[in-house]
Amino acid sequence: EDQVTQSPEALRLQEGESSSLNCSYTVSGLRGLFWYRQDPGKGPEFLFTLYSAGEEKEKERLKATLTKKESFLHITAPKPEDSATYLCAVQAGETSGSRLTFGEGTQLTVNP
Amino acid sequence: EAQVTQNPRYLITVTGKKLTVTCSQNMNHEYMSWYRQDPGLGLRQIYYSMNVEVTDKGDVPEGYKVSRKEKRNFPLILESPSPNQTSLYFCASSLTGLAGGAGGGFFGPGTRLTVL
């Protein structure tokens, strides 16, 4: 069974204080790992897809990296508007249309 | 504007009264899926569809039905709702279902369902 564990559950940062969120996964045949941002009362918003160990993707203050066992979402010099819940998900399996399994998320608060 | 729409956004119903939550996308996406989000359990996939007339179970399909008769629509049907189906439901779509081509897709705004 595919498993995704995110840590920490919650993280409070001061504006400008860089940090990292972790996503550990156990899957058979990883096809892709996804990062999303979710604001309260809204649907998740896609951020990145990573496909293989060693891959990195960047967008503004966010950088996602992938190893064979985990992914990190690095947040550099965060701003209050980066406050949100960050979700990690994996897609695995041998056939097309395989399921997407989510972690429970990390709730990030950035104080001004 | 590219979007996924869901209706209704809020629904309170009673046990056993059949209901349908509609989902529609305007991006000609092949892949559509339904999720429920519960505190402490995160997002869990209910059903997904690779294309018209092609659907498959996700992690928590019990008590739900879906159909994909048109590419743009993917309704979620609860034939006999029960209180344990009280949840926040999201519909999502992406160009394809394959990680290699899908990206993360688009999520709808959510439907908050309460079953009394």
Side-chain angles (χ1 to χ4, degrees), chain B residues 4 15 17 43-44 46 54 63 66 68 74 87 92 97 100 106 110 116:
Chain B
V4 177
T15 298
K17 186 177 181 181
L43 270 163
R44 293 178 292 168
I46 303 170
V54 180
V66 293
R68 188 92 180 273
F74 190 44
S87 187
F106 291 80
L116 302 175

Side-chain angles (χ1 to χ4, degrees), chain A residues 23-78:
Chain A
C23 172
S24 298
Y25 62 91
T26 304
V27 299
S28 176
L30 179 72
R31 307 185 75 202
L33 184 142
F34 302 82
W35 281 99
Y36 297 85
R37 169 194 172 121
Q38 186 175 24
D39 293 299
K42 295 190 175 182
E45 175 189 345
F46 170 69
L47 294 173
F48 304 109
T49 307
L50 302 167
Y51 298 112
S52 57
E55 189 174 1
E56 299 181 353
K57 294 263 179 85
E58 283 189 71
K59 180 180 180 180
E60 296 180 356
R61 295 176 292 282
L62 301 177
K63 179 180 178 180
T65 62
L66 182 65
T67 72
K68 289 187 177 180
K69 294 182 179 180
E70 58 192 349
S71 176
F72 291 94
L73 185 65
H74 306 279
I75 304 176
T76 302

Side-chain angles (χ1 to χ4, degrees), chain B residues 15-73:
Chain B
T15 298
K17 186 177 181 181
K18 181 178 179 179
L19 66 92
T20 299
V21 183
T22 65
C23 173
S24 182
Q25 49 93 4
N26 63 358
M27 297 163 280
N28 202 36
H29 283 170
E30 292 183 351
Y31 186 92
M32 297 185 74
S33 58
W34 276 103
Y35 301 85
R36 60 179 289 173
Q37 188 171 36
D38 302 288
L41 296 174
L43 270 163
R44 293 178 292 168
Q45 195 170 36
I46 303 170
Y47 270 96
Y48 61 93
S49 169
M50 287 297 294
N51 213 325
V52 175
E53 302 292 1
V54 180
T55 63
D56 207 347
K57 296 177 181 179
D59 291 319
V60 287
E62 296 78 20
Y64 304 94
K65 286 178 62 177
V66 293
S67 68
R68 188 92 180 273
K69 292 184 170 54
E70 304 169 281
K71 199 170 189 179
R72 63 182 292 130
N73 296 322

Side-chain angles (χ1 to χ4, degrees), chain A residues 2 27-32 90-99, chain B residues 98-99:
Chain A
D2 301 338
V27 299
S28 176
L30 179 72
R31 307 185 75 202
V90 296
Q91 190 173 43
E94 298 299 322
T95 61
S96 62
S98 50
R99 299 197 301 264
Chain B
L98 302 177

